Amino acid sequence: MSLDTTEKQELINAHQTHATDTGSAEVQVAMLTERISKLSSHLQQNIHDFSSRQGLLKMIGRRKRLLGYVRGKSEKRYSELIAKLGIRG
């Protein structure tokens, strides 16, 4: 369920705000979104994996808080991030 180095680097390159950005809120949301999608597919196969389900809910909460932070800083950055990741309907 974790991301390997090449996947992380691709996500960072796609969502970074400047050349040396590796941990902005946008990058963190992108990484969490990828991990959430992988874990969701795992849980569809393993419905009794309750500890992973708890981890999934924690990741969803962390992503929600980060999205709230981005939205508070800039509505434009928020809407672009949502559109790029394809979340929220």
Side-chain angles (χ1 to χ4, degrees), residues 62-89:
R62 185 178 307 141
R63 182 178 70 177
K64 183 178 178 183
R65 286 191 302 274
L66 282 168
L67 284 171
Y69 171 79
V70 172
R71 190 174 197 174
K73 289 292 183 182
S74 171
E75 188 71 34
K76 181 183 175 210
R77 282 174 44 194
Y78 172 78
S79 60
E80 289 173 356
L81 182 62
I82 295 300
K84 191 184 287 189
L85 293 175
I87 54 178
R88 304 275 170 135

Side-chain angles (χ1 to χ4, degrees), residues 29-63:
V29 169
M31 284 191 195
L32 280 171
T33 301
E34 186 67 27
R35 287 182 62 201
I36 286 169
S37 66
K38 284 187 174 195
L39 192 54
S40 294
S41 64
H42 166 77
L43 287 173
Q44 288 175 353
Q45 303 292 324
N46 303 286
I47 58 174
H48 293 290
D49 190 354
F50 299 112
S51 59
S52 292
R53 186 174 311 277
Q54 184 179 12
L56 173 70
L57 293 175
K58 286 183 180 184
M59 281 190 272
I60 289 171
R62 185 178 307 141
R63 182 178 70 177

